[in-house]
Structure formats: C-alpha cells, structure tokens
C-alpha cells in the first residue's frame, strides 16, 4: 500500500493515509496476476502462423493446463474460440440447441443476452424463460432434466451467483450449458452437473480479452456427433466439421487466427496459478478477498449489497447500491451522476479504477474480489470509498 497526503484545507473530508498498492478493481478485464511482467511473454512465437508447430504446441499447452487447473474429469474437452465468453457461449447455443426443449435462466446482463439469443435470434420453438431483475435469482427448482438448460454461474453485473448445482438432475437427458466467465477459477464446480461451460481469459486469471474457452463433456460431444441444427451457423460459431464434432478444436486447432501474444499471456497466468497451489489456492484467495470487503460493506451506512439474499450473493463480483436515504430520493440520472463523481475522484487519486456499476444495471459500484486481487489492497480501499462518498455528496 502506498502513502497518501492529507486533504487540502478546503475540504472537511480527510484523505486516508494509505492507498491500495494496485488500484485495479475492475470486474473485467481484471487485474493481472501478482508478479506479472512483459518479460514473461518473451517466449511467445510471434510473427508465426498459428498452424506452425511451435504455435500449435503453445495453444495445446494452454488447453492442457486449463484442463489440469480446472480439475476436469476424464473425457472432458477444452477448446479456444473467438469472441471471448460471448463467442464461446453462442457457439455452444447455435451448435447444440434445438434437439429438445430449452430452459433459460436469466438475471444478469449476459444471462439476458442468452435469453435474447434463444428467443429472438435462433429462435427456439420450445422455449421456457425464467427471468428476474438484477439482484434476484430465478426459481432454479423449475429445472427439468428432460430439457436443455442455459444459465449463468455468476452474474458479473447483478451480484448474484448460483452457490451449488444440487438443483440439476444428475440423471438428466438434456444438456446443461453454463456461462461461467466470472466463476471459473474462483469457485468449486461440480462437473458431474455440467455438460458445457464457457469463460474468457479476461476474468478470474487476468488474461487478455477476445478469446473464449469452451469446456465440453462427453455428452455434449455426443450431441454434436448425433445432431446438427437446421439453421445456418456462422463459421465462427461452428462446432461441427463434416456433420460431426470438430475434434481438432480440442487439440490446438482454432476456428480463426488467435493472438499468440494473448495465448502466451494466458499460459503465464495458468503457470502462476499452478505455482501458488492450483484451484484450491485460487478459491481461498477469492474467499479471503471477499471476507475483507464484506466486513467493510457491513459497517457502511451509505452502500449495501444489490443482492439482499446472502445465500445467493456473489462473493466474486461484488455489486453495491446506494442505501443512504438522501440518495434514495434522487432520480436515476442524479444517482448515476453521483456514481460517476465517486469513481472520478477515486481515479484521480489512483485509489480505485473502473469500479462503476455496469451501464445496464442500477447506479452504484462493483468491485472484483477474484484471485488476482490482493487482500491488503481491498483493506485499503474501504476508507477511500468513504472519503470519495463524502466528497461527492458534498458536491451534490
């Protein structure tokens, strides 16, 4: 944590004495892993075709390390797709759905994106939608194992997560498609309940954007081998080749040209994660981070959780709304202006960067507690939030 100065004489709000050593608390792209340097990318096979032996080997290494770090069961496959998590999830939906009825559970910005895809873009004929406002979780007991299911594991913008997968039928006939972009590497996952899982490099391990990861169970691979939808599938979303599952995807081939610099960066983060203790240590770091921030939130008199139910409250992407009665009487435009003022003050002081709530959510702030964040930085953040609040409220 860095030293700070006292406030200028014209303000009644005293600045904290210490700053976070690293002010990057964005929910995506997120902070690089501790110890990251540009020199760590020195072995990247730049200016080579991604089909060259060295490049394919590095891509395959990223796939193999992902498989090991996520502790995937035997038979599960991992591939790299374009378009970040969105591309990977839409590739799964376009290539797998339509054989049987589909249920989509949506409560977050991106969960609702999958609702739009299923209802308006494909569109699916036999579709059930379970949708709730941000901060609330739909009734997952509506899950029907005879149907395919699409859901988000952790709502990055809504502050709600699915704490367990007990609601998924272990003897299901349908497939489960899970968007886990802000959960993979930060929570334990019961893989017996997951058939398809997607995420991006820019979330829990602090990689670069635009590359998506696709995890496929043997049941999902079998669906590709036995079924192909009737609708046209864009080339960037096609998981078939010659009417069967394109197995080359899981051996280092890609649907278009990946950035080998970004691949190297992802490999670097995977190596860091393995070095510090693997998935158990990543989950422990996330738990420790959330505990620090949670202690501050519980004593705050101006911010509270958007998700009021602690049982489904996300401990990864923490979303906070204004609770001060003076703000409650403001309209949404004024509350967004207050949010902007708080974030601007913190950015000016280099105390917190990019913590504004998602533009499609409600006014407030959101703070990342994933495994690349340091606990001490979150401890130093709380007093700065209080300072910025005081300054912004005075100005308002």
């Amino acid at each position: 944590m860095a030293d700070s100065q006292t406030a200028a004489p014209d303000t009644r709000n005293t600045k904290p004495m210490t700053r976070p050593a690293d002010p990057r608390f964005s929910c995506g792209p997120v902070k690089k892993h501790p110890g990251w340097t540009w020199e760590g990318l020195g072995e990247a096979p730049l200016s080579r075709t991604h089909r060259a032996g060295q490049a394919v080997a590095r891509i395959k290494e990223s796939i193999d390390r992902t498989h090991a770090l996520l502790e995937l069961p035997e038979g599960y496959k991992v591939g790299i797709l374009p378009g970040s998590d969105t591309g990977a999830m839409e590739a799964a939906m376009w290539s797998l759905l339509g054989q049987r009825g589909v249920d989509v559970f949506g409560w977050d910005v991106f969960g609702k994106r999958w609702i739009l895809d299923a209802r308006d873009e494909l569109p699916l004929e036999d579709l059930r939608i379970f949708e709730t406002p941000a901060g609330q979780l739909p009734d997952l007991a509506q899950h029907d194992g005879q149907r395919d299911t699409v859901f988000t594991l952790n709502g990055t913008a809504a502050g709600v997560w699915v704490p367990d997968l007990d609601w998924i039928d272990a003897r299901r006939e349908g497939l489960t498609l899970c968007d886990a972009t802000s959960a993979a590497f930060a929570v334990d996952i019961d893989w017996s309940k997951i058939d398809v899982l997607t995420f991006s490099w820019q979330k829990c391990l602090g990689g670069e954007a635009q590359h998506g990861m696709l995890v496929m169970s043997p049941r999902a691979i079998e669906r590709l081998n036995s079924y192909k939808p009737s609708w046209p599938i864009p080339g960037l979303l096609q998981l078939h080749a010659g009417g069967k599952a394109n197995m080359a995807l899981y051996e280092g081939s890609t649907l278009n040209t990946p950035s080998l610099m970004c691949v190297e960066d992802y490999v670097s983060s995977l190596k860091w994660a393995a070095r510090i203790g693997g998935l158990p240590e990543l989950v422990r770091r996330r738990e420790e981070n959330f505990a620090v921030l949670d202690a501050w939130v519980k004593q705050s008199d101006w911010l509270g959780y958007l998700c009021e139910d602690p049982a489904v409250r996300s401990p990864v992407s923490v979303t906070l709304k204004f609770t001060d009665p003076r703000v409650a009487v403001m309209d949404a435009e004024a509350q967004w202006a207050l949010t902007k003022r708080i974030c601007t003050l913190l950015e000016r002081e280099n105390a917190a960067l990019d913590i504004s709530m998602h533009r499609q959510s409600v006014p407030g702030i959101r703070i990342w507690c994933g495994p690349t964040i340091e606990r001490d930085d979150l401890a130093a953040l709380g007093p700065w939030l209080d300072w910025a609040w005081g300054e912004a409220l005075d100005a308002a």
Side-chain angles (χ1 to χ4, degrees):
M1 293 183 285
D3 291 339
S4 177
Q5 299 176 348
T6 57
D10 61 346
T11 177
R12 65 183 179 86
N13 303 296
T14 303
K15 292 181 184 177
M17 295 301 294
T18 57
R19 287 186 178 86
D22 194 316
R24 293 174 293 179
F25 299 104
S26 166
C27 285
V30 309
K31 174 185 172 290
K32 292 294 190 185
H33 66 77
W36 183 92
T37 65
W38 284 106
E39 288 71 24
L41 309 184
E43 298 300 316
L46 304 183
S47 302
R48 298 289 308 278
T49 172
H50 60 294
R51 298 183 181 89
Q54 184 184 6
V56 172
R58 193 65 101 245
I59 293 170
K60 186 62 165 61
E61 179 181 354
S62 73
I63 289 172
D64 292 343
R65 286 184 176 275
T66 298
H67 200 290
L69 187 59
L70 286 176
E71 301 177 356
L72 294 176
E74 184 177 355
Y76 278 63
K77 302 293 184 181
V78 178
I80 298 174
L81 291 172
S84 197
D85 173 67
T86 303
M89 192 65 179
E90 292 188 329
M93 293 180 69
W94 256 251
S95 295
L96 290 165
L97 298 183
Q99 185 186 57
R100 58 179 62 225
V102 177
D103 292 343
V104 184
F105 294 89
W107 64 91
D108 186 59
V109 171
F110 289 98
K112 295 183 179 184
R113 172 72 255 180
W114 314 141
I115 289 175
L116 291 176
D117 283 348
R119 184 187 64 206
D120 302 339
E121 302 298 336
L122 286 175
L124 298 172
E125 293 181 359
D126 185 1
L127 175 66
R128 299 195 306 171
I129 294 173
F130 303 94
E131 184 175 6
T132 54
Q136 300 176 33
L137 190 68
D139 180 9
L140 299 176
Q142 298 296 316
H143 163 70
D144 182 347
Q146 297 302 309
R147 303 167 65 85
D148 292 335
T149 301
V150 179
F151 71 101
T152 304
L153 193 54
N154 181 78
T156 314
V160 175
W161 75 327
V162 179
D164 63 66
L165 302 178
D166 295 345
W167 52 279
I168 295 176
D169 186 355
R171 296 170 296 179
R172 64 194 177 278
E173 294 294 327
L175 298 179
T176 54
L177 281 66
C178 175
D179 167 9
T181 195
S182 58
F185 304 114
V187 303
D188 291 312
I189 297 173
D190 180 357
W191 290 103
S192 70
K193 303 297 182 70
I194 297 294
D195 294 302
V196 180
L197 183 136
T198 66
F199 63 92
S200 69
W201 297 350
Q202 64 174 311
K203 286 297 195 297
C204 290
L205 291 187
E208 293 302 299
Q210 293 304 319
H211 296 77
M213 298 299 286
L214 176 71
V215 178
M216 299 280 282
S217 73
R219 297 180 71 244
I221 296 294
E222 174 55 32
R223 172 74 66 87
L224 292 175
N225 284 328
S226 60
Y227 166 75
K228 186 175 182 181
S230 58
W231 50 70
I233 304 175
L236 290 181
L237 305 181
Q238 288 182 7
L239 302 182
H240 294 87
K244 299 290 184 179
N246 180 5
M247 299 307 293
L249 278 175
Y250 316 108
E251 297 298 329
S253 181
T254 56
L255 294 179
N256 73 336
T257 306
S259 164
L260 296 177
M261 181 179 290
C262 291
V263 170
E264 194 72 20
D265 182 66
Y266 180 52
V267 170
S268 172
S269 64
L270 291 166
K271 288 179 177 178
W272 165 78
R275 193 163 56 245
I276 66 171
L279 184 61
E281 178 61 13
L282 295 176
V283 173
R284 188 200 68 79
R285 286 176 62 91
R286 185 269 302 163
E287 291 174 340
E288 191 174 64
N289 286 340
F290 178 69
V292 170
L293 185 60
D294 182 55
W296 177 83
V297 175
K298 286 177 177 176
Q299 60 80 43
S300 174
D301 59 1
W302 62 277
L303 272 183
Y305 291 108
L306 178 60
C307 176
E308 297 180 357
D309 182 358
V312 297
R313 183 180 296 153
S314 171
V316 189
S317 50
V318 179
T319 60
L320 303 168
K321 63 182 179 180
F322 295 112
T323 57
D324 188 284
R326 290 168 290 182
V327 181
V329 299
M330 298 179 183
D331 60 22
E333 183 178 354
Q335 290 191 31
W336 276 116
L338 185 64
T339 299
K340 182 177 180 181
R341 177 64 176 161
I342 290 171
C343 293
T344 299
L345 287 166
L346 291 168
E347 183 167 350
R348 249 180 231 164
E349 295 292 334
N350 204 37
L353 305 176
D354 308 320
I355 64 169
S356 178
M357 194 77 91
H358 193 282
R359 63 188 181 276
Q360 295 180 27
S361 188
V362 301
I365 64 174
R366 59 179 181 155
I367 301 168
W368 186 249
C369 287
T372 64
I373 300 294
E374 299 284 16
R375 175 193 61 187
D376 288 349
D377 288 337
L378 284 165
L381 173 63
W384 279 99
L385 292 171
D386 287 331
W387 170 80
W389 157 252
E391 290 288 288
L393 192 63
D394 287 349

